[in-house]
Amino acid sequence: MKDFMLKRTIYCGKVGIDDVGKEVIVSGWVHSYRDHGNLVFIDLRDREGLVQLVFDPEINGEIHKLARQVRCEWVVAAGGLVRNRSEGMENPKIPTGRIEIACTAFEILNTADTPPFEIDNADKVAEELRLANRFLDLRRPAMQNRLMVRHRVAKIVRDYFYNEGFIEIETPMLGKSTPEGARDFLVPSRLCEGSFYALPQSPQLFKQILMVAGMDRYFQIVRCFRDEDPRADRQAEFTQIDVEMSFVDVGDVIGIHEKMVAEVWKGILGIDVKLPMRRMTYADAMRDYGIDRPDLRFDMKLRDISDIAAKCDFKVFTSTVKNGGIVKGLCAPGGSNAYSRNDIEKTLTAFVSDLGAKGLAWFKVAAAEDGSGIDLQSSIAKFFSPALRKAIIERFNAQNGDLLLFVADKQAAANKALAPLRIKLGRELKLVSDSQYEFVWVVDFPLMEWNENEKRFDSLHHPFTAPVPEDLHKLDTDPGNIRSQAYDIVLNGNEIGGGSIRIHQPAVQEKIFSLLNISKQQAEDRFGFFLRALRYGAPPHGGIAFGLDRLTMLLTGTDNIRDVIAFPKTQRGQCLMTEAPGSVDQKQLEELNLRTQKHSHEPEKKE
RNA sequence: GGGGCCGUAGCUCAAUUGGUUAGAGCAUCGGACUGUCGAUCCGAAGGUUGAGGGUUCGAUCCCCUUCGGCCUCGCCA
């Protein structure tokens, strides 16, 4: 006994010209209906697409009457004969537009409340409303397609790793909190009163231990959790393609994974990615692009002009250089026509000052007044001798009509402002194409960087990253200049994956901990299990992790991570559909030996 | 924790410098209609202008507080 009579024989979207003359049964959601009093048309939607149902009172008066009652988003099943639409009645807008189903059977499986927004127009609807009614939002083909792409990426990746001899192994979700890195999500333990699990920020130590255990090649498509503020491309709960391999060097890991990426791009977009992908050192990336994830779809490299600036009479420049800063800038091709003086001094300057820059110096490249070639024009041009102006033009190989923009600051501060400025200009000057994919491996990262506030070194990647062997001797003398065997894969300015060769000798690991100001005792408390594992015969090993969410974003051309996650959270980490997080019963708290507490000093209410 | 944008009918938006009864399209409901496909035509209903307070003769508009969404800095080994 079924609770419906008509059983589907084919998906709506799959009914085609080959089915003409066949009896079929379709089921799905009423996308739209057109009632002519006589004929009734229903566009029926399922996962695979739309198909037009026709109800003719001459054919079957009873179901025609029934069909007149349906409304959008009702769930129905219909059976009938597939037939060609006669000439002039075809609808080229939908793939099934050449055929229709002349219905002889019809069943209303469910009615539906009027939806809070029209499925067809949901792309224009406030995201808040879409998230609260995700079951409706996900009925949209665009959303279903993104989830489908995500699924297919996972499938390609699984198949790829299966063929390469990798084993998918699950690691715990309830783990131990490690104070480094991002903030942990904590889960109170009922059985161990007063203790907490942490949700994994990544399976880092587990996958390394799997290498110690001899699994040799591990991968996992795994949820990770970092309790930090979300962004457009970042959720607290996200998915990694996590990989680890034994007896490998940097080249091995890169080789395996660029092939994986190429297979994904081929499988999803049909695009042949040229292998091997190019590589760039961290130092070069920072010098030319001001950032460790350069967008190589366009050139517009940053140039340091500190040597020229030191000789000018512009005090902002000279004093910056004198105080150990740099003057760095870029040349926007055609920028002096695209940006008015007001654009530069208001919009662009505001843009960089939001990023911490103190100002933005500019020159327009124009025909020289004396008719001899080109020259720089600016309110500050007078502080530069003709020779210096010429030197600047040459540094950028600037052309008439270009716009030169400079930030004078400490090196890191200048890069921090210029790198996003470069991206903004590249976009606005239409130097980037959406169909262009420029991959690059960034390598030779510094192992550590000095943390001025804490007076210690911090890992750039994480504390298990192996140094470059030739730099090992600097461990005691010059730790800030040790390069690491870390690598990031960057696509169009997005980091899509990153990893490293790991330290496999306990002595080196302990040395690194001490440089990071982690005492023997602390290391023992936090990573004791791991250090112990390293002492029992750890093979050389390394790995990588890709962000599945971000990969899917790039493959589907969205800049909103929530579009590639079925049930995402808002910027405050809430699910607007389920209203998580929520309060819990007192009884649950008691079982966990937890008590919630209001601020002891509540802000005073104004009278 | 900081900065910015936004919130008007179910949805998307409008509303002159602060001024009369807050409008339109779509959706909804009722009716008409023989091939539509954004159907069409006729009609109806639909509002705590996110919430609270203030200024004012008068507030969607100005000010304060607050809630929510988005973007962003910090944060994200």
Side-chain angles (χ1 to χ4, degrees):
Chain A
M1 183 71 183
K2 284 181 292 192
D3 46 3
F4 60 97
M5 298 306 295
L6 293 174
K7 190 142 193 246
R8 178 171 67 199
T9 62
I10 188 168
Y11 280 116
C12 297
K14 295 287 189 201
V15 184
I17 208 91
D18 295 340
D19 300 302
V20 169
K22 286 185 199 156
E23 294 279 342
V24 298
I25 300 175
V26 291
S27 40
W29 287 260
V30 174
H31 186 74
S32 68
Y33 59 91
R34 295 171 292 282
D35 181 353
H36 286 249
N38 196 316
L39 290 182
V40 171
F41 301 94
I42 291 177
D43 287 345
L44 195 65
R45 171 181 9 93
D46 65 19
R47 203 182 75 189
E48 304 297 328
L50 293 177
V51 71
Q52 175 165 284
L53 312 178
V54 188
F55 296 87
D56 187 338
E58 310 269 309
I59 294 176
N60 186 326
E62 205 169 308
I63 64 163
H64 172 261
K65 222 161 123 192
L66 208 54
R68 295 192 72 179
Q69 296 168 14
V70 304
R71 293 294 178 264
C72 285
E73 301 311 316
W74 285 25
V75 186
V76 302
L81 189 67
V82 180
R83 66 185 187 199
N84 277 309
R85 298 202 200 178
S86 40
E87 207 166 317
M89 289 174 216
E90 291 162 346
N91 182 0
K93 290 181 197 161
I94 59 173
T96 61
R98 292 174 67 191
I99 54 93
E100 63 191 5
I101 301 174
C103 293
T104 50
F106 189 62
E107 192 177 1
I108 294 174
L109 303 175
N110 218 341
T111 62
D113 289 354
T114 302
F117 55 85
E118 294 159 60
I119 308 297
D120 238 7
N121 296 334
D123 55 331
K124 298 188 189 89
V125 169
E127 193 174 10
E128 200 174 344
L129 197 66
R130 291 171 44 203
L131 291 172
N133 300 278
R134 196 60 163 175
F135 35 85
L136 298 177
D137 194 26
L138 292 180
R139 282 188 192 161
R140 300 159 54 208
M143 294 303 287
Q144 297 197 344
N145 177 54
R146 291 192 193 99
L147 294 182
M148 199 74 75
V149 167
R150 186 182 176 118
H151 155 73
R152 284 167 53 211
V153 172
K155 160 90 170 125
I156 291 168
V157 165
R158 282 208 166 89
D159 289 349
Y160 177 78
F161 283 125
Y162 174 82
N163 289 326
E164 295 286 343
F166 287 77
I167 303 167
E168 184 161 19
I169 303 172
E170 291 163 279
T171 50
M173 287 289 116
L174 297 174
K176 186 172 170 172
S177 173
T178 53
E180 291 72 26
R183 196 176 293 111
D184 283 322
F185 280 98
L186 297 178
V187 180
S189 161
R190 177 179 59 84
L191 297 172
C192 300
E193 194 175 288
S195 293
F196 292 83
Y197 299 101
L199 301 181
Q201 295 182 26
S202 83
Q204 185 60 38
L205 293 178
F206 285 106
K207 67 175 174 177
Q208 290 192 238
I209 284 172
L210 286 170
M211 294 303 102
V212 178
M215 299 312 299
D216 198 72
R217 290 184 159 202
Y218 143 94
F219 88 101
Q220 185 182 189
I221 296 180
V222 61
R223 197 65 59 83
C224 301
F225 305 87
R226 293 178 191 172
D227 189 5
E228 302 292 350
D229 290 8
R231 285 283 186 280
D233 62 351
R234 202 169 87 190
Q235 286 259 305
E237 183 179 359
F238 63 101
T239 304
Q240 281 190 346
I241 300 166
D242 194 53
V243 194
E244 198 76 6
M245 311 163 70
S246 291
F247 307 107
V248 291
D249 58 25
V250 171
D252 296 323
V253 180
I254 284 181
I256 280 273
H257 293 96
E258 62 186 18
K259 225 172 108 197
M260 179 203 91
V261 168
E263 291 218 353
V264 169
W265 250 252
K266 182 70 179 173
I268 303 295
L269 298 176
I271 289 175
D272 289 300
V273 176
K274 197 169 150 258
L275 297 182
M277 291 173 187
R278 65 187 281 190
R279 299 189 196 181
M280 182 182 293
T281 66
Y282 172 88
D284 286 352
M286 294 306 289
R287 185 194 63 213
D288 291 344
Y289 303 97
I291 194 164
D292 59 1
R293 44 183 172 88
D295 187 340
L296 300 182
R297 284 175 296 177
F298 62 104
D299 196 39
M300 209 195 282
K301 291 192 184 73
L302 309 183
R303 301 282 187 213
D304 190 333
I305 60 154
S306 303
D307 54 325
I308 303 170
K311 295 182 212 148
C312 75
D313 299 316
F314 186 44
K315 252 202 155 147
V316 173
F317 280 13
T318 52
S319 67
T320 299
V321 175
K322 200 174 292 171
N323 293 326
I326 62 168
V327 179
K328 197 169 178 179
L330 51 77
C331 174
S336 66
N337 300 321
Y339 297 96
S340 69
R341 182 164 170 174
N342 189 61
D343 290 337
I344 298 164
E345 296 190 343
K346 297 270 159 59
T347 315
L348 295 183
T349 301
F351 181 80
V352 295
S353 51
D354 283 349
L355 294 161
K358 296 180 199 78
L360 186 66
W362 59 272
F363 298 97
K364 288 189 167 183
V365 184
E369 278 173 23
D370 62 7
S372 64
I374 52 174
D375 199 357
L376 297 181
Q377 294 180 355
S378 168
S379 53
I380 60 165
K382 60 186 178 223
F383 298 117
F384 294 77
S385 68
L388 290 179
R389 298 206 294 269
K390 189 157 172 264
I392 292 173
I393 289 172
E394 280 171 4
R395 178 78 36 107
F396 289 94
N397 189 24
Q399 309 295 314
N400 194 352
D402 290 354
L403 173 66
L404 301 175
L405 296 167
F406 294 97
V407 171
D409 212 316
K410 296 240 162 57
Q411 182 168 310
N415 280 336
K416 196 186 148 201
L418 286 167
L421 179 65
R422 175 178 172 273
I423 300 300
K424 178 184 169 69
L425 295 171
R427 242 182 239 143
E428 292 179 357
L429 295 170
K430 305 228 171 359
L431 302 178
V432 294
S433 147
D434 287 340
S435 56
Q436 196 182 348
Y437 297 96
E438 293 294 336
F439 294 92
V440 59
W441 288 98
V442 178
V443 296
D444 285 348
F445 282 81
L447 186 66
M448 299 175 288
E449 60 187 354
W450 181 248
N451 182 330
E452 189 53 41
N453 295 331
E454 308 277 335
K455 302 289 175 205
R456 60 147 203 252
F457 284 99
D458 279 342
S459 292
L460 211 70
H461 193 53
H462 58 50
F464 317 107
T465 302
V468 167
E470 304 91 85
D471 291 356
L472 257 176
H473 66 276
K474 297 180 191 162
L475 270 178
D476 296 308
T477 53
D478 190 9
N481 271 320
I482 300 174
R483 289 166 299 162
S484 72
Q485 299 190 61
Y487 31 80
D488 279 355
I489 178 168
V490 173
L491 167 59
N492 296 354
N494 301 281
E495 183 198 326
I496 59 173
S500 61
I501 299 301
R502 327 296 184 186
I503 297 165
H504 67 281
Q505 308 98 324
V508 177
Q509 186 65 73
E510 279 165 32
K511 181 80 199 171
I512 298 293
F513 279 151
S514 79
L515 282 170
L516 298 173
N517 220 7
I518 300 172
S519 74
K520 248 193 159 104
Q521 188 56 51
Q522 285 170 319
E524 195 52 42
D525 290 346
R526 293 172 199 174
F527 310 115
F529 65 100
F530 176 67
L531 291 172
R532 218 160 65 78
L534 282 189
R535 287 198 296 268
Y536 285 90
H541 62 286
I544 194 167
F546 287 83
L548 178 62
D549 311 275
R550 209 166 288 173
L551 277 178
T552 310
M553 287 171 68
L554 289 159
L555 289 164
T556 58
T558 177
D559 50 15
N560 180 352
I561 194 172
R562 295 175 297 279
D563 280 349
V564 299
I565 297 174
F567 302 104
K569 294 182 173 61
T570 68
Q571 205 150 56
R572 295 178 65 234
Q574 292 181 308
C575 170
L576 296 180
M577 187 179 69
T578 63
E579 296 183 311
S583 54
V584 296
D585 292 342
Q586 192 57 38
K587 185 165 174 259
Q588 289 175 285
L589 290 177
E590 280 162 17
E591 282 178 338
L592 294 166
N593 199 39
L594 286 179
R595 222 170 20 201
T596 57
Q597 189 180 5
K598 293 229 167 68
H599 270 278
S600 52
H601 44 83
E602 252 180 300
E604 285 172 43
K605 295 233 168 80
K606 281 177 190 161
E607 297 301 321

